[in-house]
């Protein structure tokens, strides 16, 4: 017996996978106890694990222990003999007559069954069979542990590559495709899909990445409602969802049910803690079941999709913040430029034509430059404080509308002819500096773009509720700009000749 066990162990040691170990183990057990056939029966198909009776007995005759058969003795039904032929590859010498058999339970591996056409198994053979079964169970357990370790190692390598893509800020689509491709390779499944909530319609899903799905199927699955299928349920229930017998389940997507998908599993994908999608795998293999390790692998991949989405959102926020910063600096520069334009134009006029100006005119021009200088000082102070609102917003004050309009126009009349219409005699409570800044932007835009020698007008109207100030000038709208485009940031006509970046009307 010792020699037989040693040879058996040596044969199993040469097996590198679970399938070959089982085939070798069953065949070795059949040979060791001089059986005709054998089979390793899983828990679901094991059938009897003790006495099974003798096939030629009538159904009402006692069987097994009731008939006095020792434990472990009896006959294997034809199904076991057929299983022995399929699993062990050992052709029984005779299977059409009475068959005696022995079945021993294996820890974590179902049962090992052997059968022969004549003669019961002795106690020594049963002891040997039990020992060989224990060796087989240990070898299969070791191979499974090794396989699980290798699977975890594959998962870790795959996750490391995905992590590297995320840390290197690879394009989001590239990362998502790597995740779905990794899920297909790791789980050896037929299809993989990553669906995300539609940002424009949170009740619908968009297929963001997929592998193993035909173009026709891809098109039909591009959009779908939340809650349908394994992926939809994973989002709605915020948990891992498995649907077995998918083709028969009313919870499955119609397209996959019609395609006879057998099993599907989905895990939720999050961004900043909120569920925003799901990662789904599916198999067309009948009887496919997802193990605990496979479920954990899918959850790990879904977590990496979550990290990628969160990181992409962070990058987008940083880019938006940078764009906001750039816009802020451009707006600040523009607002600093408006009073500076008036100051420089006034001083230039004094420099060139001081002898021709009356003292009163010179005094008025200097006072205008001084007021604009104070506006410039206020803007710079606000910039240094770092408060964007302070650049254009101050405390409201009550002032005469006529005076407010005159202050806004002051200085521009020396650059171009500015016609001021009738101004209603009303008092308004406003942020006077902000109104002057807005009118200054409108007037500067008119000066820059109106044809030479054409007038620029500022009109004012008032009713019981509103005051309307209008700056108008002659000119043609650029052919490549709509009226709405005029008030968008950084929009300028292709033939614009004046300096600037296209922020004046946007600021106003």
């Amino acid at each position: 017996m010792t020699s037989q066990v040693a040879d058996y162990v040596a044969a199993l040691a040469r097996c590198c996978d679970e399938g070959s170990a089982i085939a070798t183990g069953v065949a070795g057990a059949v040979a060791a106890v001089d059986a005709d056939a054998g089979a390793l029966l899983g828990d679901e198909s094991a059938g009897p694990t003790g006495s099974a009776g003798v096939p030629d007995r009538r159904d009402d005759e006692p069987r097994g222990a009731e008939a006095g058969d020792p434990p472990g003795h009896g006959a294997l039904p034809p199904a076991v003999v057929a299983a022995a032929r399929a699993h062990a590859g050992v052709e029984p010498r005779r299977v059409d007559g009475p068959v005696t058999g022995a079945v021993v339970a294996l820890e974590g591996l179902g049962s090992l069954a052997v059968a022969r056409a004549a003669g019961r198994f002795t106690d020594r053979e049963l002891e040997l069979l039990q020992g060989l079964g224990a060796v087989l169970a240990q070898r299969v357990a070791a191979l499974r542990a090794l396989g699980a370790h290798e699977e975890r190692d594959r998962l870790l390598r795959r996750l490391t590559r995905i992590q590297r893509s995320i840390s290197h800020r690879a394009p989001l689509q590239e990362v998502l495709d790597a995740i779905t491709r990794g899920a297909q390779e790791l789980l050896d499944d037929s299809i993989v899909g990553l669906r995300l909530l539609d940002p424009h319609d949170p009740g619908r899903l968009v297929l963001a990445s997929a592998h193993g799905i035909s173009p026709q199927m891809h098109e039909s699955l591009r959009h779908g409602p939340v809650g349908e299928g394994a992926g939809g349920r994973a989002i709605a229930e915020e948990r891992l969802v498995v649907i077995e017998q998918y083709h028969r389940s009313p919870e499955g997507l119609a397209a996959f049910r019609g395609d006879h998908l057998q099993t599907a599993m989905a895990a939720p994908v999050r961004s900043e803690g909120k569920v925003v999608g799901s990662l789904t795998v599916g198999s067309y293999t009948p009887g496919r079941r997802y193990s605990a390790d496979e479920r954990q692998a899918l959850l790990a991949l879904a977590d990496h999709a979550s990290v990628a989405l969160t990181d992409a959102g962070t990058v987008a926020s940083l880019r938006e913040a940078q764009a906001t910063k750039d816009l802020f600096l451009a707006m600040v520069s523009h607002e600093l430029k408006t009073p500076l334009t008036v100051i420089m134009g006034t001083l230039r006029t004094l420099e060139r034509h001081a002898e021709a100006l009356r003292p009163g005119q010179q005094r008025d021009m200097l006072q205008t430059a001084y007021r604009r200088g104070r506006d410039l000082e206020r803007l710079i102070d606000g910039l240094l404080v770092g408060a964007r609102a302070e650049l254009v917003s101050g405390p409201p004050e009550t002032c005469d509308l006529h005076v407010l309009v005159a202050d806004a126009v002051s200085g521009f009349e020396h650059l171009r002819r500015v016609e001021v219409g009738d101004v209603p005699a009303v008092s308004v409570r406003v942020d006077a500096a902000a109104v002057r800044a807005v009118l200054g932007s409108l007037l500067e835009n008119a000066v820059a773009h109106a044809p030479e020698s054409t007038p620029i007008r500022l009109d004012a109207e008032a009713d019981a509720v509103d005051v309307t100030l209008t700056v108008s000038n002659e000119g043609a709208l650029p052919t490549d700009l709509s009226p709405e485009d005029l008030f968008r940031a950084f929009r300028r006509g292709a033939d614009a000749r004046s300096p600037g970046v296209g922020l004046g009307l946007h600021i106003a």
Side-chain angles (χ1 to χ4, degrees):
M1 178 185 292
T2 303
S3 175
Q4 288 176 302
V5 173
D7 292 342
Y8 190 78
V9 170
L12 288 178
R14 291 190 292 269
C15 299
C16 298
D17 61 86
E18 181 178 338
S20 63
I22 290 175
T24 299
V26 172
V30 168
V33 296
D34 195 26
D36 294 326
L40 179 66
L41 305 178
D43 292 335
E44 296 181 358
S45 59
T49 56
S51 299
V54 179
D56 58 353
R57 287 178 178 166
R58 298 193 311 271
D59 290 339
D60 58 349
E61 288 182 332
R63 299 173 181 269
E66 299 178 23
D69 293 333
H73 285 76
L76 296 178
V80 175
V81 176
R85 181 186 292 110
H87 285 266
V90 178
E91 287 292 337
R93 289 190 293 269
R94 184 172 51 179
V95 298
D96 54 349
V99 176
T100 59
V103 182
V104 294
L106 307 183
E107 184 176 357
L109 201 60
S111 302
L112 176 61
V114 294
R116 62 189 179 196
R120 294 191 176 190
F121 293 97
T122 66
D123 292 340
R124 183 179 180 279
E125 288 173 327
L126 290 175
E127 182 181 350
L128 175 59
L129 186 64
Q130 189 71 60
L132 298 181
V135 172
L136 174 59
Q138 290 174 359
R139 180 56 180 167
V140 171
L143 289 171
R144 286 178 176 176
L146 179 61
H149 175 76
E150 292 175 347
E151 196 68 24
R152 284 192 294 270
D153 187 56
R154 287 177 59 207
L155 175 61
L156 288 174
R157 289 198 301 270
R158 172 66 63 178
L159 295 181
T160 298
R161 288 196 292 271
I162 294 172
Q163 286 174 336
R164 189 178 300 115
S165 298
I166 295 172
S167 63
H168 290 173
R169 297 284 163 77
L172 178 61
Q173 188 61 52
E174 181 180 316
V175 177
L176 298 183
D177 289 343
I179 290 171
T180 52
R181 184 169 56 252
Q184 187 181 46
E185 293 174 358
L186 287 170
L187 301 179
D188 194 26
D189 269 342
S190 306
I191 59 170
V192 182
L194 176 62
R195 298 195 293 171
L196 302 175
L197 294 177
D198 188 336
H200 305 295
D201 185 0
R204 292 179 62 79
L205 296 171
V206 177
L207 186 61
S209 178
H211 281 279
I213 298 177
S214 66
Q216 297 82 357
M217 187 78 73
H218 191 284
E219 188 61 31
S220 67
L221 296 171
R222 187 179 298 277
H223 299 281
V226 175
E228 289 188 358
R233 280 186 52 196
I235 296 173
E237 301 173 19
E238 300 188 10
R239 67 179 183 87
L240 183 77
V241 171
V242 178
I243 299 180
E244 297 175 347
Q245 297 293 315
Y246 192 99
H247 58 297
R248 298 177 181 174
S249 173
E251 298 174 336
L253 296 176
F256 283 130
R257 291 203 313 268
D259 206 30
H260 300 288
L261 188 69
Q262 299 294 307
T263 309
M265 174 172 62
V269 173
R270 294 175 169 82
S271 178
E272 298 181 353
K274 297 181 180 179
V275 175
V276 296
S278 62
L279 178 62
T280 305
V281 294
S283 175
Y284 289 101
T285 303
R288 176 74 161 96
R289 298 291 184 270
Y290 291 107
S291 67
D293 286 342
E294 289 174 324
R295 299 181 185 212
Q296 289 301 317
L298 186 68
L299 288 170
L301 288 166
D303 285 343
H304 278 66
S306 301
V307 172
L309 289 171
T310 300
D311 183 75
T314 301
V315 171
S317 297
L318 290 174
R319 289 173 178 167
E320 183 178 355
Q322 182 63 43
T324 301
K325 175 185 174 183
D326 294 342
L327 179 60
F328 166 71
L329 292 176
M331 292 177 69
V332 168
S333 299
H334 189 278
E335 294 191 41
L336 292 175
K337 180 172 172 264
T338 299
L340 187 60
T341 299
V342 175
I343 294 172
M344 295 302 294
T346 301
L347 294 177
R348 184 74 174 198
T349 301
L350 287 171
E351 179 188 28
R352 291 182 174 181
H353 308 289
E355 297 82 359
L357 295 173
R358 296 189 301 274
Q361 290 178 311
Q362 294 182 14
R363 183 172 58 254
D364 290 343
M365 293 177 67
L366 289 173
Q367 288 176 348
T368 295
Y370 176 76
R371 287 197 303 272
R372 291 297 182 174
R374 291 298 303 270
D375 289 342
L376 185 60
E377 180 183 37
R378 176 176 174 273
L379 290 171
I380 294 174
D381 288 342
L383 177 61
L384 294 175
V385 174
R388 172 67 182 89
E390 290 185 29
L391 294 175
V392 295
S393 180
E397 56 183 288
T398 301
C399 58
D400 184 89
L401 181 60
H402 189 278
V403 173
L404 183 61
V405 170
D407 286 344
V409 174
S410 180
F412 282 99
E413 67 267 30
H414 302 297
L415 302 177
R416 287 286 299 273
R417 180 185 177 191
V418 178
E419 299 176 359
V420 180
D422 294 333
V423 179
V426 296
S427 295
V428 291
R429 185 168 178 77
V430 295
D431 177 353
V435 172
R436 286 196 299 269
V438 171
L439 290 176
S441 292
L442 297 176
L443 289 168
E444 184 182 10
N445 181 78
V447 169
H449 299 288
E452 293 289 341
S453 74
T454 59
I456 297 172
R457 286 191 56 84
L458 193 159
D459 294 295
E461 297 179 357
D463 57 26
V465 178
D466 299 315
V467 170
T468 303
L469 300 174
T470 305
V471 175
S472 58
N473 63 276
E474 296 181 11
L477 186 68
T479 56
D480 56 337
L481 290 179
S482 67
E484 293 79 9
D485 286 334
L486 287 176
F487 294 90
R488 293 175 182 165
F490 308 113
R491 299 305 298 272
R492 288 167 53 83
D495 56 352
R497 292 172 295 175
S498 63
V501 293
L503 280 172
L505 294 182
H506 176 71
I507 294 172

